[in-house]
Amino acid sequence: MVFLITGASGFIGFHLAKALLARGNTVIGIDNLNDYYSPLLKQARCDQLKQFQNFYFYQMDIADQPAMESILKQHHDIKIIFNLAAQAGVRYSLENPFAYIQTNITGHLTILELARHLPKLQRIFYASSSSVYGLNKHLPFSEQDRVDRPSSVYAASKQSAELLSFTYHHLYGLKQTGLRFFTVYGPWGRPDMAYYLFAKAIAENKPITLYEGENLSRDFTYISDVIDGLISLLECPDLDGYEIYNIGNSRQEQVENLITCLEKSMQKKAKINRITRPNTDIEATLSDITAIYKKTGWSPKTRLDEGIQYFTDWFQNFNN
């Protein structure tokens, strides 16, 4: 089967592409390799994928409609699209909000508009985020909760992408599945994420910046569990025409427990500098994964201490 994966050199895109290639599929990978975080890490991921003969890579921006159109004309036999390309990062959206509109909205619209002309396309899976739940105080977050009160431009851009997807399903019958990811972590992860920043600070004997608050917690989801969840949806025979699923661990972990796990796995004590939490950051997240479990039987298996050990083993090896 032929897959198109945008953001193929990104964290989730890389792991998904690797899993699909290992199964003998053909993957068309697209990524602009921007410098939001180290392009060297993105290139290192891409180099691993290029070891597969059935991987084709194109460096381009998904918002570049003419360039994207030329690629899709070459690969008109694409059956599944995973649109995982995104401008990520909640705090960075305060500095450069236009980057989020460009990639997360215009880029997503470009994919939708071009995809509806692909003759063999079966479905689009696209990356949303737990951030769409915004100022919602009710935990756990359910797909049925309101998502019209975003706390950041990043969250607003992801909710806008969901609305565009529904519109294209309504107008053109494009079958689509939205994926609301909850704090994905693990080897080859993003250096802007808290667990990576904390590990780097501990390794360099620098203080960790930790937001104040007794309820500061996240639903940390290990990368291999995420990929298993995506594969379970991909192989599900009775997906609806349009739907959205939470992809989370469904377990609330205090951020301080994350630090404890890092200290144990790295055998080093962290120095902590506490500051006030900015209003762009949600205090707590927790996923209700009842919907995807009922549909596919998927549930995550990796405990936080296990996942952090896997991550730090990779982190120390990669940085050495």
Side-chain angles (χ1 to χ4, degrees), residues 116-308:
R116 70 186 182 91
H117 299 291
L118 288 173
K120 296 183 180 180
L121 184 69
Q122 296 176 359
R123 179 171 293 270
I124 298 174
F125 295 86
Y126 67 92
S128 188
S129 168
S130 61
S131 294
V132 300
Y133 292 109
L135 301 178
N136 188 349
K137 299 295 184 182
H138 176 265
L139 292 176
F141 294 148
S142 166
E143 293 92 342
Q144 307 306 315
D145 292 341
R146 62 184 297 183
V147 289
D148 57 353
R149 295 179 295 175
S151 61
S152 65
V153 172
Y154 170 67
S157 70
K158 284 299 188 180
Q159 171 58 4
S160 298
E162 290 186 0
L163 293 172
L164 283 170
S165 279
F166 179 81
T167 302
Y168 267 70
H169 167 67
H170 170 70
L171 292 176
Y172 306 111
L174 272 181
K175 294 181 179 179
Q176 297 183 66
T177 302
L179 310 162
R180 291 177 179 169
F181 295 116
F182 281 71
T183 315
V184 184
Y185 73 100
W188 296 96
R190 281 172 33 206
D192 64 315
M193 296 289 284
Y195 70 92
Y196 200 117
L197 292 170
F198 291 172
K200 187 172 186 293
I202 292 171
E204 296 175 354
N205 294 309
K206 295 180 180 179
I208 285 172
T209 299
L210 181 64
Y211 297 143
E212 296 172 341
E214 296 180 0
N215 298 319
L216 188 65
S217 60
R218 290 291 181 269
D219 189 344
F220 296 104
T221 315
Y222 188 63
I223 183 61
S224 66
D225 288 329
V226 169
I227 300 307
D228 287 345
L230 300 188
I231 297 297
S232 76
L233 287 168
L234 181 62
E235 295 178 343
C236 183
D238 61 343
L239 291 182
D240 296 331
Y242 180 83
E243 52 199 357
I244 292 176
Y245 291 106
N246 288 336
I247 309 291
N249 196 41
S250 196
R251 182 170 179 173
Q252 195 172 20
E253 298 278 2
Q254 298 294 316
V255 175
E256 294 210 17
N257 187 36
L258 166 67
I259 297 172
T260 300
C261 291
L262 285 167
E263 289 176 325
K264 182 178 180 181
S265 63
M266 298 179 74
Q267 299 183 339
K268 205 170 185 180
K269 198 71 176 174
K271 302 173 183 177
I272 299 177
N273 177 35
R274 299 178 187 273
I275 65 172
T276 302
R277 177 174 58 87
N279 60 8
T280 54
D281 277 58
I282 302 171
E283 184 177 32
T285 64
L286 178 63
S287 62
D288 180 345
I289 58 172
T290 303
I292 187 173
Y293 177 76
K294 286 183 176 179
K295 178 67 75 169
T296 71
W298 173 80
S299 61
K301 300 177 176 61
T302 310
R303 299 194 316 267
L304 182 61
D305 60 331
E306 293 176 322
I308 288 299

Side-chain angles (χ1 to χ4, degrees), residues 101-126:
I101 307 304
Q102 172 78 357
T103 301
N104 300 355
I105 299 179
T106 303
H108 187 60
L109 177 61
T110 298
I111 295 293
L112 294 173
E113 181 59 24
L114 295 176
R116 70 186 182 91
H117 299 291
L118 288 173
K120 296 183 180 180
L121 184 69
Q122 296 176 359
R123 179 171 293 270
I124 298 174
F125 295 86
Y126 67 92

